[in-house]
Amino acid sequence: MPAIVVAVVVGVLFFLGYRYYSSYLARKVYALDPAFVTPAHEFNDGNDFVPTNKHVLFGHHFTSVAGAAPIVGPAIAVFWGWGPALLWIVLGTIFAAGVHDFGALAVSVRHKAKSIGTLAGDVINGRARMLFMIIIFFLLTLVNAVFAVVIGNLFVGNPAAVIPIIVEIPMAMAIGQYIYKTRSSALIPSIVGVIVLYALILVGQAFPISLDGLAEALGVEQTRNVWVVLLFIYTWVASRIPVWMLLQPRDYINSHQLFIALGVIALGVIVGMNTIQAPVVNDVPEGSPNFFPFLFITVACGAVSGFHSLVSSGTTSKQLDKETDARYVGYMGAVGEGSLATGAVLAATAGVAASEVEWNALYADFATASGGAAGNFVNGVAQFANNLAIPLDLATTFAAVVVISFAATTMDTGVRLQRYLVQEIGEQLRIKVLARNLTVATTVAVLIPLAMALLPGGGASGYTFGVLWQLFGTTNQLTAGLALSVIAVWVTRRGRNPLAAIIPLVFLLAMTTWALILNLRNFIEAEQWVLAPLDALIFVLAIWLIVEAVLALVAARRERPAVPVEGTGTGEESVVARANPDQATSDVPLGGADRDDRR
């Protein structure tokens, strides 16, 4: 199958999804109203709450949600065949991620740009907020652990990428200082930063850096683990400094890298006319994880990501100029993520191997497929770049720099968010040393994922990267399930049809609990006493979420009005609004929550 055919078909399906399904969501499910005064205007402070052009906001939102996860997950999932992986990416993007990302943004905007965790407490109940905090703690722990392993493996496999990535840190800090002190636009400095970063690839080629000797001197079996420790030392420092000093300027640089990478993949596929070498459905070896349900939690962010609800409700909702912009920013952000996942599938099936025999060697079993996924993407993108007359060695380093940059930015954000969460948990439990001591909170936020990345060690314990990724996938899908629960209850209470949120919610929770049960049995049989209790705890959280969602939806159906509340999605007032103007200016009571919707 020519890769260009797949790319065109997927592109057309994504276009149709945005054109028709997102339009239905905007009009009939979320009832967007252009006359609604968004929090960006109501609370405009020139800092967090700032009305932003929808195209600019889309760029910020997309680069915030896109990272290494939609690359690694699909690059592993093609183990079951490119057909199932791509089918779930397309369906998941259109009918799950689009609903989830768009909905989290729309609901947050209607409630003063509150975070999805706060909304879970308001819309469902106080227990749901605690559930959210626990699930997010596990999600961030696993995010930070898996991306440390991804970066460590890529540094070992691509030593020429080390210098560009290391130099990017002080360069980003210099750009941050310049922007902060001069109050100038970030566009030109960040473009210059990208140019310098790619110029450093030549330096990296001339002076590759390997820590094999250091690992041997320290008696560490895997060089990757030395990198993992160094990465967490770096993130401990990075999470302590102001966001404008490093995190934001790195985001500026990586936003350009994201679109450059997508452009290289698209152009490389067109010019090279690469052919997919992997089977549509793969005959996997006996003993491999089952297609159902593991493909869905393995693709994870490539189809739907709970992490996106944190971004939609955490920062994007504070910058939305018009409520109707939520369709473009939220749904298109999901489509962009699906496009990156599609690129990962093509790179791991059409770019990485010249024949089916070659591909089968790279995906001989699940452990090989999962451990080499990031490297397969890098080599696939390098081949696409080579189609554009870029030397293969430089193209490989370029692709590695892109993936490492995305993963490092995710780690920077993840450790910072986990530190916030540790402090919030400390406040809830009245543990002052966690709530008020920044050093202690940051150390806890670093040590727990570091232990996850290092303790099992692979080898005899059977703890492979694929297992770690699956645990990440389950917590990610649980987070998405909680966000979809909030959206479904909110929509139901307004007398509108919640099936757009309920169907993906039920599917995600079914696949997640099924995978957790199968993994728990496997861990107990293998006597893996680190993984079994962790899996069991995540399973309990899944059951808790299912119970809370069912109870909340049943209660919401009893409270739903006879006529849908709020606008029609075109700016016209509903029947309820004309009959009762007071109800039109505030939200339906949310089980004791504040009446937050205002015009």
Side-chain angles (χ1 to χ4, degrees):
M1 173 72 73
I4 185 63
V5 173
V6 174
V8 169
V9 170
V10 171
V12 169
L13 292 174
F14 282 161
F15 169 77
L16 294 175
Y18 177 75
R19 173 64 181 83
Y20 295 104
Y21 194 57
S22 73
S23 176
Y24 162 76
L25 295 173
R27 291 182 294 107
K28 299 298 185 181
V29 180
Y30 304 134
L32 302 184
D33 186 351
F36 181 79
V37 179
T38 64
H41 288 281
E42 185 177 359
F43 307 112
N44 189 348
D45 60 6
N47 186 23
D48 294 322
F49 293 85
V50 181
T52 306
N53 176 278
K54 68 177 184 179
H55 301 292
V56 175
L57 184 57
F58 167 75
H60 168 75
H61 176 81
F62 181 32
T63 53
S64 296
V65 300
I71 291 172
V72 177
I76 298 174
V78 295
F79 170 72
W80 289 284
W82 66 266
L86 201 59
L87 183 63
W88 173 232
I89 288 168
V90 172
L91 294 178
T93 296
I94 294 172
F95 297 108
V99 176
H100 171 275
D101 297 16
F102 183 2
L105 178 56
V107 175
S108 179
V109 166
R110 282 280 168 168
H111 293 274
K112 301 180 181 178
K114 290 181 179 179
S115 71
I116 196 69
T118 302
L119 290 172
D122 289 351
V123 175
I124 301 179
N125 54 45
R127 295 190 306 273
R129 184 180 183 185
M130 179 56 69
L131 173 62
F132 177 85
M133 290 173 62
I134 297 172
I135 291 175
I136 290 301
F137 182 83
F138 279 106
L139 173 61
L140 292 174
T141 295
L142 291 163
V143 163
N144 296 328
V146 296
F147 286 126
V149 173
V150 167
I151 295 171
N153 284 335
L154 287 173
F155 273 152
V156 171
N158 301 274
V162 174
I163 286 180
I165 293 298
I166 290 178
V167 175
E168 184 185 9
I169 296 170
M171 181 174 66
M173 295 180 72
I175 291 173
Q177 287 284 343
Y178 172 79
I179 295 170
Y180 179 75
K181 290 183 177 180
T182 63
R183 303 293 180 180
S184 58
S185 169
L187 179 61
I188 300 302
S190 59
I191 291 176
V192 172
V194 173
I195 294 171
V196 172
L197 177 65
Y198 289 162
L200 286 168
I201 290 176
L202 297 172
V203 179
Q205 290 283 327
F207 302 99
I209 294 179
S210 172
L211 298 185
D212 290 345
L214 178 60
E216 185 177 350
L218 295 173
V220 178
E221 183 179 351
Q222 295 183 330
T223 304
R224 177 197 73 191
N225 290 341
V226 178
W227 282 115
V228 167
V229 172
L230 293 176
L231 284 165
F232 276 108
I233 292 173
Y234 154 74
T235 55
W236 190 94
V237 176
S239 68
R240 297 285 301 271
I241 60 180
V243 291
W244 60 264
M245 189 175 290
L246 174 59
L247 186 59
Q248 286 181 349
R250 278 188 68 167
D251 279 344
Y252 299 148
I253 294 172
N254 289 340
S255 66
H256 301 305
Q257 287 206 83
L258 175 60
F259 292 106
I260 290 171
L262 286 172
V264 167
I265 292 172
L267 290 175
V269 167
I270 293 170
V271 173
M273 294 299 292
N274 299 73
T275 301
I276 293 177
Q277 302 298 333
V280 177
V281 178
N282 192 25
D283 185 16
V284 300
E286 186 177 350
S288 300
N290 298 330
F291 170 90
F292 276 97
F294 290 109
L295 176 136
F296 303 97
I297 63 170
T298 299
V299 171
C301 303
V304 57
S305 171
F307 186 78
H308 293 194
S309 66
L310 306 183
V311 177
S312 291
S313 64
T315 58
T316 307
S317 60
K318 296 177 175 64
Q319 301 172 63
L320 202 71
D321 183 30
K322 296 179 181 178
E323 189 177 61
T324 48
D325 292 347
R327 175 192 173 197
Y328 175 73
V329 175
Y331 197 95
M332 276 296 288
V335 169
E337 188 92 329
S339 300
L340 183 58
T342 301
V345 168
L346 296 179
T349 57
V352 73
S355 67
E356 187 170 347
V357 173
E358 249 183 72
W359 188 87
N360 286 334
L362 295 173
Y363 286 85
D365 52 51
F366 188 72
T368 303
S370 56
N376 291 338
F377 173 83
V378 165
N379 293 330
V381 172
Q383 184 57 58
F384 294 149
N386 186 241
N387 294 341
L388 305 177
I390 300 174
L392 191 58
D393 57 342
L394 293 179
T396 302
T397 304
F398 155 76
V401 166
V402 169
V403 178
I404 294 170
S405 296
F406 290 170
T409 300
T410 303
M411 273 194 72
D412 285 354
T413 303
V415 171
R416 186 180 293 269
L417 289 174
Q418 189 151 24
R419 189 246 296 170
Y420 294 157
L421 191 59
V422 167
Q423 291 179 293
E424 188 172 353
I425 292 173
E427 290 178 2
Q428 292 286 326
L429 300 179
R430 298 182 181 179
I431 304 176
K432 293 182 179 180
V433 70
L434 288 180
R436 299 179 183 178
N437 191 310
L438 189 62
T439 299
V440 173
T442 305
T443 302
V444 171
V446 164
L447 288 181
I448 294 176
L450 175 61
M452 285 297 301
L454 295 181
L455 274 180
S461 71
Y463 192 126
T464 65
F465 178 76
V467 173
L468 191 64
W469 186 266
Q470 287 177 5
L471 291 174
F472 156 70
T474 55
T475 53
N476 186 283
Q477 303 305 282
L478 284 182
T479 306
L482 183 56
L484 285 167
S485 299
V486 171
I487 294 165
V489 171
W490 186 84
V491 169
T492 301
R493 283 200 171 122
R494 279 145 194 80
R496 299 195 287 272
N497 189 344
L499 283 179
I502 290 177
I503 291 173
L505 165 63
V506 171
F507 183 80
L508 289 180
L509 292 181
M511 292 300 107
T512 298
T513 52
W514 187 2
L516 287 167
I517 291 171
L518 293 178
N519 267 337
L520 181 59
R521 182 190 65 188
N522 294 336
F523 295 154
I524 292 174
E525 289 177 353
E527 298 183 350
Q528 294 178 338
W529 303 121
V530 173
L531 299 176
L534 179 60
D535 187 278
L537 183 54
I538 298 174
F539 175 72
V540 170
L541 296 177
I543 299 301
W544 182 5
L545 174 54
I546 291 170
V547 171
E548 295 290 0
V550 170
L551 293 176
L553 284 168
V554 169
R557 286 190 64 83
R558 290 198 299 264
E559 300 169 10
R560 66 187 298 173
V563 180
V565 178
E566 298 159 352
T568 62
T570 61
E572 300 175 3
E573 290 183 318
S574 67
V575 174
V576 170
R578 291 195 297 271
N580 186 355
D582 291 337
Q583 189 169 0
T585 59
S586 63
D587 196 7
V588 175
L590 300 176
D594 295 334
R595 297 161 67 91
D596 294 326
D597 284 4
R598 298 178 182 176
R599 294 190 188 280

